[in-house]
Amino acid sequence: MQIRVLVADDDPSLRALICDIVRQQGYDAVEAADGKQAIDRFFSGTEPGLVILDVMMPVYDGWDVLREIRAQSDVPVMMLTALDDEQSEIAGLKHGADDYLAKPFRYAVFVARLNALLRRTTRDLGGMLCFGALSVSLEKRQVLVSGAEVVLSNKEFLLLSLLLQNRGVVFSREKLLAKIWGYDFEGDERTVDTHIKTLRQKLLSCGTMIQTVRGAGYRFEVAL
């Protein structure tokens, strides 16, 4: 099941940007424009794997929403605020937030913190990493596409694991050969191309997540 991330911010442009980033990382984004919507959407349906809360919101502010959530759940919560000072950060952590990020923030920093917080959720799901219709358990070496198990060879699974754990990072064929086959492998780089082709075919519609970067190599990316 795809992990849901609740994004609560009264700024529509920033909220849309955050949701785009969340979806790009392979998670499902649920939006809330104020504190009341955030509470309603948190407690309706499946509990989100992460909540991103703006501090200054109408109806109920981020602290009010956080208190409501913490009364019933220990879900990871990231607070967003324009107040870039130590006292605000301390207050946020004391209220039960797991992380605190001042606006404006850098893309790379936000993505790193997002994925760091969601590691707790993936551990709670038995280590299952979810990217749209693709679910992968590194511990169980299990791959599912739309709920159906996909049987991969050892090298195919290692390739997929390396790429998805380094989302957005481009790996050259030479580097993939070294990491998966070892430095003493005597074959050529076409071996990588053959395995990538077969892996894409087995992953069906999710095969497009393994992208070719012309002249550079391959990367794992979840399209918006």
Side-chain angles (χ1 to χ4, degrees), residues 51 53-55 62-63 66 77-81 92 97 99-102:
V51 179
L53 283 178
D54 183 31
V55 171
W63 305 130
L66 181 59
V77 175
M78 178 192 296
M79 303 298 296
L80 298 178
T81 179
D99 201 356
Y100 179 99
L101 192 59

Side-chain angles (χ1 to χ4, degrees), residues 1 7 23 28 45 55 101-102 108 117 128-129 138 147-148 157 173 180 199 206 221:
M1 182 175 63
V7 180
R23 292 178 183 121
D28 180 30
V55 171
L101 192 59
L117 286 173
M128 190 67 78
L129 302 175
L138 301 178
F157 184 82
R173 291 168 177 83
I180 305 299
L199 177 58
C206 296
E221 197 70 79

